[in-house]
Amino acid sequence: MTVEVQGIVRRFGGMAALDGVSLEVAAGEFVALLGPSGSGKTTLLRVLAGLEGSDAGRVRIAGRDMTGVPARERRIGVVFQHYALFRHMTVFDNIAFGLSVRPRRERPTRAETARRVRELLELVQIPDLENRYPHQISGGQRQRVALARALAIEPRLLLLDEPFGALDALVRRDVRRWVRDLHDRLGLATILVTHDQEEAMEMADRIAVMERGRIVQCDTPTALLRDPATAFVAGFVGGATRLTCNVRSGVAHFDPLPLPPVRVSLPDGEAQAFLRPSDILARRGASGAATVRLVREDAHGRPALVVAAGDTLLDATGEFLGRGDACRLTLRSGVVFGAGGARAELAPLQAAVAG
Amino acid sequence: MSGATLMAAPGPARRAKVAAIPGFGLTFGITLAWLGTIVVIPLAALALRPWELGLFGLIDSLSDARVLASLRLSFGAALLAALVDLPLGLALAWAVVRMNWPGRRLLDALVDMPFALPTAVAGIALTALFAPNGWVGAPLAQLFGWSVAFTPAGVAVALMFVGLPFIVRTVEPVMRDLAKDAEEAAATLGATRSQTLRRVVLPALAPALLTGFGLAFARAVGEYGSVIFIAGNMPMVSEIAPLLIVIRLEQFDFAGAAAVGLAMLSLSFGILLLLNLAQRRLRRSRR
């Protein structure tokens, strides 16, 4: 089931919530729309679902132009941010809703509906809850009900609008994996809207990063981390610290921060460097340069340090130092964006530093 | 509810529970005293007074054809008015909550007018409007041959007027709360607009509609000021029960007046109790 979005524009008043968005999603693919609030990701989802019109561009699903097709005829499963369960209906009736509103000739018999609902309850692993009302079950269970309700119409495409936001962190991890697994088993195309980059990285085959109504980059999670296309993407994914530096004849200077100058092939002028914790190495060194503020061990047993360099706190790695130790910082990699969006990798000035 | 458990909990548990509003014992006492003075004692007096006539005297006083006719009119017209107000109030609430048009705020304010207007003023205005030579009454009389003022229909019109804001104002907050995403979810699941309205929107509003209906009905049963101007007050035809009470009082038939009052009280109480029970059934499964 392919989804093709071509040049969608959606304006609210004078503001363009979507400003020429194009995206393709293949059958069986899991794509995440990632961006800060107000970047247009939910609007795009609503346009796909048919809940919002578009001012230009078009959406094709399985080759069919969806312009003017109302939401109820699209057969797209939507899980809303707050689940939007029908509060006056039992879990059973909520899930059966999509079947029971079909035109009479297509409506399954009562027994058939019941069988399907029980199947879905099994699938989402809440077989005992059919007679409960939404307010009698937990957030995680509600989400499962919302998912089962969306799946009941046998959708060709599943849209998830920040579906994990209301769950507590522990449940969220499990549910994410479980939803991804469900996606794989059912062979749907799924589009997930989220502002949580970790969630997008963990779940999606590809991530479309959105900024002010545009998709600035759409790529696999690893590619996004390795080759961020713009400063915005570099800043939004991977937990990098943004530092301003000055490029003079191919060398970036971080003054007044106690970071060594690095080689970078960018024209002279101000530039933005994005440094991940693994890009910055802290070693025991002369006092006065930088101070270790926090020492932890990351999941792989490597040191994770927070280093104060002047007024700036940097995440760094390197060796296990004590809190309050003075240290010397070196850069071993990182991405720098110059004026006009030119991108370059930084390289250590002296090859001897990297150890 | 938390107050009651607070009282019941003995010893240290009592200190452990913190209620937002302090001084439960004091407020409970004041409430009871207040309730007693302005509700229970007058009602008790009303309930006791008619027995001066003795059981048979009471029955006799109430089985008067004029009394029965007035009770029938009062309750019938109130019921009819509340029923007509129901869809009207729903539509008005919808317009106030959902529609986005310039006159919305004005309409919002206008809805409350029947609350603020002295009912006599409303009654006179309605009478002028619906009289055979009034702006609305004249065309109605000419086109359909209907007369509204000075007939039972006029009573119903006046009661509709006073009851309407109750329905609008009870439905409105629930409608405002009614998340739009439930309607959108219904649409993505394939429901048509009428299916969404019937199966998602109306059931969610049902308890509020029932409450509004009960309030409008209760208000209409007790309404006096606006009705007596438009009703014409013909005994057996367009005379409401509250008016009959006043008439009996003027004739110094205090027990007889109290008897009609008692009858109204019992009927209203019974009907409101039924409405409440229906509402409990509706709400039981919900938040």
Side-chain angles (χ1 to χ4, degrees):
Chain A
M1 189 60 46
T2 56
V3 179
E4 297 162 71
V5 178
Q6 288 167 350
I8 289 287
V9 176
R10 176 66 179 144
R11 289 190 198 86
F12 294 116
M15 277 266 301
L18 293 175
D19 191 7
V21 170
S22 298
L23 176 72
E24 251 182 65
V25 180
E29 202 179 12
F30 197 120
V31 173
L33 300 177
L34 177 67
S37 41
S39 59
K41 49 197 194 312
T42 294
T43 309
L44 178 56
L45 199 81
R46 291 173 59 81
V47 169
L48 281 169
L51 297 170
E52 197 80 67
S54 56
D55 297 316
R58 64 178 167 182
V59 176
R60 275 138 128 11
I61 294 174
R64 186 182 166 202
D65 189 347
M66 285 286 146
T67 313
V69 178
R72 68 166 182 276
E73 285 167 28
R74 293 197 181 194
R75 237 194 215 200
I76 294 176
V78 184
V79 175
F80 289 81
Q81 194 169 358
H82 303 289
Y83 315 141
L85 295 179
F86 306 130
R87 285 194 275 175
H88 59 281
M89 292 185 201
T90 59
V91 166
F92 183 99
D93 291 335
N94 261 286
I95 298 174
F97 186 85
L99 299 172
S100 64
V101 293
R102 285 192 186 167
R104 194 149 284 145
R105 346 179 224 98
E106 297 167 35
R107 200 179 301 165
T109 62
R110 199 169 287 250
E112 171 67 10
T113 303
R115 193 185 61 75
R116 292 267 285 283
V117 171
R118 302 232 159 81
E119 234 172 59
L120 284 160
L121 282 166
E122 267 327 311
L123 183 72
V124 298
Q125 303 167 346
I126 43 169
D128 308 327
L129 299 181
E130 61 174 79
N131 291 320
R132 303 280 194 89
Y133 284 87
H135 67 98
Q136 296 170 321
I137 60 180
S138 73
Q141 291 167 336
R142 263 178 240 171
Q143 197 210 26
R144 283 164 194 253
V145 175
L147 198 60
R149 185 179 68 173
L151 291 173
I153 58 170
E154 293 169 330
R156 320 183 274 182
L157 170 66
L158 189 62
L159 305 177
L160 310 173
D161 186 4
E162 309 230 3
F164 311 111
L167 303 179
D168 59 65
L170 220 68
V171 180
R172 204 181 309 176
R173 279 186 85 80
D174 285 345
V175 174
R176 269 189 218 158
R177 293 204 183 121
W178 172 76
V179 167
R180 173 66 218 221
D181 179 57
L182 202 64
H183 160 92
D184 291 340
R185 272 191 287 157
L186 298 175
L188 298 157
T190 301
I191 298 178
L192 165 79
V193 160
T194 180
H195 61 259
D196 180 347
Q197 56 124 347
E198 193 189 316
E199 188 172 295
M201 296 271 171
E202 190 181 306
M203 293 184 77
D205 299 319
R206 281 191 303 145
I207 299 175
V209 182
M210 294 192 71
E211 181 195 10
R212 274 180 270 148
R214 292 168 185 272
I215 293 180
V216 283
Q217 189 174 9
C218 181
D219 222 324
T220 60
T222 25
L224 279 184
L225 285 175
R226 208 173 38 225
D227 296 316
T230 68
F232 175 80
V233 176
F236 203 73
V237 300
T241 308
R242 174 200 286 250
L243 292 177
T244 305
C245 57
N246 256 302
V247 182
R248 289 191 293 273
S249 48
V251 178
H253 299 271
F254 290 91
D255 313 327
L257 292 178
L259 285 167
V262 285
R263 225 164 352 146
V264 60
S265 46
L266 283 175
D268 286 6
E270 197 165 272
Q272 305 291 326
F274 291 91
L275 304 170
R276 292 208 197 94
S278 59
D279 294 333
I280 307 176
L281 292 176
R283 301 210 184 286
R284 200 174 302 280
S287 65
T291 321
V292 175
R293 280 287 166 81
L294 214 62
V295 186
R296 278 178 298 131
E297 197 176 300
D298 73 6
H300 309 286
R302 289 186 297 248
L305 311 171
V306 176
V307 177
D311 293 337
T312 313
L313 290 177
L314 298 170
D315 288 304
T317 184
E319 42 185 89
F320 281 101
L321 298 165
R323 190 185 283 201
D325 285 359
C327 62
R328 190 164 51 86
L329 299 174
T330 54
L331 301 178
R332 63 174 171 192
S333 52
V335 193
V336 187
F337 289 89
R343 193 183 76 136
E345 298 282 333
L346 63 79
L349 207 51
Q350 318 96 310
V353 172
Chain B
M1 186 204 110
S2 64
T5 46
L6 196 108
M7 284 292 279
R14 190 171 179 174
R15 228 170 305 137
K17 290 195 181 174
V18 176
I21 305 171
F24 174 77
L26 184 69
T27 47
F28 191 65
I30 293 173
T31 311
L32 272 190
W34 192 242
L35 199 71
T37 331
I38 67 168
V39 179
V40 177
I41 295 174
L43 281 185
L46 176 63
L48 291 177
R49 193 69 191 259
W51 300 101
E52 285 173 8
L53 299 169
L55 181 61
F56 293 107
L58 182 63
I59 292 172
D60 202 37
S61 169
L62 285 180
S63 57
D64 178 17
R66 193 170 161 195
V67 173
L68 289 178
S70 74
L71 284 175
R72 206 162 31 235
L73 176 66
S74 267
F75 282 88
L79 208 63
L80 180 72
L83 277 175
V84 176
D85 275 343
L86 209 53
L88 219 60
L90 185 66
L92 260 174
W94 195 266
V96 169
V97 173
R98 284 287 169 86
M99 308 275 174
N100 209 355
W101 49 288
R104 202 175 59 106
R105 303 236 167 266
L106 193 68
L107 182 77
D108 199 9
L110 275 176
V111 167
D112 289 332
M113 283 309 287
F115 281 142
L117 212 59
T119 48
V121 176
I124 293 165
L126 285 171
T127 311
L129 211 56
F130 283 95
N133 58 355
W135 289 352
V136 179
L140 280 180
Q142 269 171 19
L143 292 177
F144 306 102
W146 293 349
S147 51
V148 176
F150 317 124
T151 67
V155 177
V157 166
L159 296 183
M160 274 168 59
F161 176 82
V162 297
L164 190 59
F166 288 94
I167 292 177
V168 179
R169 291 297 178 225
T170 45
V171 173
E172 190 196 317
V174 183
M175 199 179 268
R176 227 181 267 282
D177 265 8
L178 193 68
K180 217 174 172 188
D181 57 3
E183 288 161 59
E184 289 181 340
T188 63
L189 291 169
T192 61
R193 293 178 81 158
S194 77
Q195 280 171 326
T196 306
L197 192 68
R198 213 172 53 239
R199 299 193 43 188
V200 176
V201 178
L202 284 181
L205 296 179
L209 280 169
L210 204 60
T211 306
F213 178 81
L215 285 174
F217 171 77
R219 171 66 203 269
V221 166
E223 178 60 19
Y224 176 77
S226 62
V227 179
I228 51 166
F229 289 98
I230 199 171
N233 308 327
M234 291 195 328
M236 306 295 297
V237 178
S238 59
E239 186 180 56
I240 54 167
L243 178 65
L244 198 62
I245 295 176
V246 174
I247 291 172
R248 285 194 168 178
L249 284 176
E250 282 170 349
Q251 295 162 348
F252 303 104
D253 179 9
F254 297 129
V260 180
L262 182 64
M264 290 189 73
L265 187 69
S266 332
L267 275 170
S268 300
F269 185 74
I271 291 169
L272 291 178
L273 195 68
L274 279 178
L275 281 175
N276 253 317
L277 286 178
Q279 186 149 29
R280 279 177 80 93
R281 280 178 66 93
L282 266 178
R283 278 201 208 269
R284 195 163 49 192
S285 52
R286 302 178 202 182
R287 223 188 292 256

